[in-house]
Amino acid sequence: MDYWSQPRIDREQIPLFVPTLGDMVSENHTVRMFDEILAIVDWGEWEAEYPRKRGRPPIHPRVMASAILYGLNRGIRSSRKLEDACINRFDFFWLLEGRQIDHSTFAEFRTRFGEQLKDLFGQVGKVAAKIGFIRLLDMATDGTRVKANNSRYRTVTAEALERRLVELEAEFEKAVAQMAANDRQEDGLFGEDESGNRLPPDLSSLSKRHKALTEALAKAQVADRAKQQKHGKKAKPTQVPLTDQDAKVQPNKEGGFAPNYTPMATTDGTRGFIIDEEVLAGAAEAATIIPLLNRLESEFGGLPPRMFFDGAYGAGQNLEEFELRNIEAFTPITNTTLNNDTADEPTPRQPAPVDQPDDLPVNAATKKLDRNAFVYDEQADCYHCPTGQRLTYEKTTSKRNACGSVPIRVYRCHDCEGCSLAARCLTERNRKGRTVRRDKYEAERQRMVERMNQEESKELYKRRMWIGETPFAHIKAAMGVRQFLLRGLTKVQTEWRWVCTAFNLGKLARELTRLRAEFALATV
């Protein structure tokens, strides 16, 4: 007897009984669970997009979507690799029942059904909710950065774009003159034969480049103006991507800067299913919260009692909304500390004795006394400085944050002259008297700081990382989504929706497989 294992099938032998596709894929293979779940989904909205005319029958959208979603779950993202898998992998061969789909069909299908994909994402979530995998008790919202389909070196400033446009216009004029000279020469040789239906290839290419550069210049100028309003005229010029102009140059998670998008996910804390997703071109994550709450209330008929966020979401408008909707929210507040001296006392006490100035908080940026060294008296609507002087209301101004404009009340002290702490308190800008600013959401921030300082809250908040960040870890490491394949915000949003749907399907398939295994053991 030969020592080595023998092949199950001889390559050259004609078998009497041919193995079926079912024999090639084990009974507990993930692809079978994918197929079972997607078979119970309503595909009516997808089917309605097909014209149903005579001709070659189309492949059913369930088959196409199954291949894309299962491929994403297996780390196969590109349409050409999907085409290869249809031919060379038994699990894909089983899933598609022998169909061989080319890459162009996959590429077209992937961007065609953005709206219908929303419904599919929701249906998968409802299946998970019926089984009890989604309970809407604890939720976490978080965002990450994924590179755009744009080289980090293909970014330019408005100044560079203006130079390029000047050079391109000179090149365009030269090409027009050359074309006119060629026309005159050909007319002399062959007679006049006008055909002005379309631009010649050279001019058409130059025209497209001119349009792309003009659009990029407009975006760069808008971004520069916004930057200067926020940081002054010395703000660095904005870098604008040339390939995918919807992306924004942002810090990479791995270090350095490159054109990026900010995909976001809201995750249920029961089993880690994603229940809401979107993509931002910039980094204004705080502005997404109120629309998110509206969507959750509309889709699920209610809101979770508890939600977790990182420090990027602690805008005052969001804190106010959490309280109005009775959501126990947890988010670190970095620009406010708990000030027990604002309690309902007849006379607010001093934050620290004046003879112990080192105990007074100092602002890291200005090197002067921080606003938290001043005590707010709610009844009198004024602040008290460490020496006991009053800072009375002077005027109302405003500032903008990610969620919009915020009214700011300005309080000023008129007795700073001769103060022992003046050198440590006054800057060049407030020689007329120290000012303290208070926006309309200061009370909400104080309450959030108080909540986050409780030991029970600290323990609860430890769950945020698992709930909110685990999906991104799996999507990047296991599914390989570290750079988007498509360009433009609309297509990138569709691609992210495919990714999140595939993530939920994979998780649902694993959970159902686990339940079946537990049931099988229980019935033995």
Side-chain angles (χ1 to χ4, degrees), residues 105-162:
T105 305
F106 278 126
E108 180 186 357
F109 185 89
R110 188 167 48 189
T111 58
R112 179 182 173 186
F113 295 95
E115 289 302 313
Q116 290 77 12
L117 188 56
K118 278 185 185 179
D119 180 66
L120 176 60
F121 176 81
Q123 288 191 64
V124 173
K126 288 175 182 176
V127 172
K130 285 181 180 179
I131 304 172
F133 297 148
I134 295 176
R135 297 182 181 176
L136 305 178
L137 298 176
D138 290 350
M139 291 186 193
T141 297
D142 204 358
T144 187
R145 290 197 182 96
V146 175
K147 293 179 183 177
N149 193 344
N150 191 114
S151 169
R152 62 184 300 179
Y153 303 107
R154 290 272 296 166
T155 61
V156 289
T157 63
E159 183 181 357
L161 282 168
E162 288 174 349

Side-chain angles (χ1 to χ4, degrees), residues 116-371:
Q116 290 77 12
L117 188 56
K118 278 185 185 179
D119 180 66
L120 176 60
F121 176 81
Q123 288 191 64
V124 173
K126 288 175 182 176
V127 172
K130 285 181 180 179
I131 304 172
F133 297 148
I134 295 176
R135 297 182 181 176
L136 305 178
L137 298 176
D138 290 350
M139 291 186 193
T141 297
D142 204 358
T144 187
R145 290 197 182 96
V146 175
K147 293 179 183 177
N149 193 344
N150 191 114
S151 169
R152 62 184 300 179
Y153 303 107
R154 290 272 296 166
T155 61
V156 289
T157 63
E159 183 181 357
L161 282 168
E162 288 174 349
R163 289 198 304 269
R164 290 194 185 190
L165 278 170
V166 171
E167 295 169 358
L168 188 64
E169 286 168 0
E171 188 177 348
F172 191 88
E173 291 175 2
K174 183 179 178 182
V176 169
Q178 183 65 44
M179 182 186 70
N182 292 340
D183 286 346
R184 287 194 297 270
Q185 184 179 9
E186 291 176 359
D187 289 345
L189 290 173
F190 308 108
E192 294 186 5
D193 183 16
E194 295 185 1
S195 179
N197 293 329
R198 54 188 173 185
L199 286 171
D202 290 345
L203 289 182
S204 178
S205 176
L206 290 173
S207 179
K208 289 178 181 177
R209 285 170 56 193
H210 186 277
K211 181 181 178 182
L213 290 177
T214 303
E215 291 174 353
L217 176 60
K219 291 183 178 181
Q221 291 172 337
V222 170
D224 282 344
R225 285 195 293 270
K227 233 179 181 183
Q228 288 172 1
Q229 287 178 355
K230 185 175 182 180
H231 301 291
K233 293 185 178 181
K234 293 184 179 180
K236 291 184 178 180
T238 304
Q239 293 279 342
V240 175
L242 284 178
T243 309
D244 186 353
Q245 294 180 16
D246 286 348
K248 295 289 186 295
V249 175
Q250 302 177 68
N252 291 323
K253 289 292 185 179
E254 301 81 8
F257 290 80
N260 280 276
Y261 284 100
T262 305
M264 298 182 60
T266 298
T267 309
D268 184 79
T270 305
R271 291 288 181 179
F273 282 83
I274 297 173
I275 60 172
D276 190 89
E277 45 72 34
E278 64 179 309
V279 178
L280 305 181
E285 298 174 46
T288 66
I289 295 303
I290 295 177
L292 166 67
L293 297 180
N294 293 335
R295 288 196 301 272
L296 292 177
E297 198 163 31
S298 172
E299 294 171 12
F300 297 101
L303 292 169
R306 193 158 52 199
M307 297 187 75
F308 302 95
F309 308 89
D310 63 25
Y313 299 87
Q317 294 93 323
N318 292 338
L319 301 182
E320 181 183 55
E321 199 69 21
F322 294 143
E323 293 186 0
L324 289 173
R325 302 195 188 208
N326 297 317
I327 298 173
E328 187 181 16
F330 297 83
T331 178
I333 304 298
T334 56
N335 59 350
T336 299
T337 59
L338 183 60
N339 191 348
N340 293 323
D341 300 317
T342 60
D344 296 331
E345 301 176 6
T347 303
R349 58 184 174 81
Q350 298 176 9
V354 179
D355 59 354
Q356 299 177 16
D358 291 339
D359 293 341
L360 295 172
V362 176
N363 186 285
T366 64
K367 309 301 181 185
K368 302 294 183 179
L369 291 183
D370 191 77
R371 69 188 299 275

Side-chain angles (χ1 to χ4, degrees), residues 455-496:
E455 290 301 320
E456 181 183 359
S457 297
K458 292 177 182 179
E459 288 298 315
L460 282 171
Y461 192 69
K462 291 178 181 179
R463 299 194 67 218
R464 184 204 69 83
M465 185 174 293
W466 174 81
I467 299 173
E469 298 186 12
T470 299
F472 298 127
H474 181 87
I475 285 169
K476 289 185 176 183
M479 298 171 65
V481 183
R482 296 185 179 275
Q483 183 172 20
F484 286 111
L485 301 177
L486 304 179
R487 296 171 183 167
L489 181 59
T490 301
K491 289 185 178 180
V492 166
Q493 287 173 331
T494 300
E495 183 176 354
W496 182 243

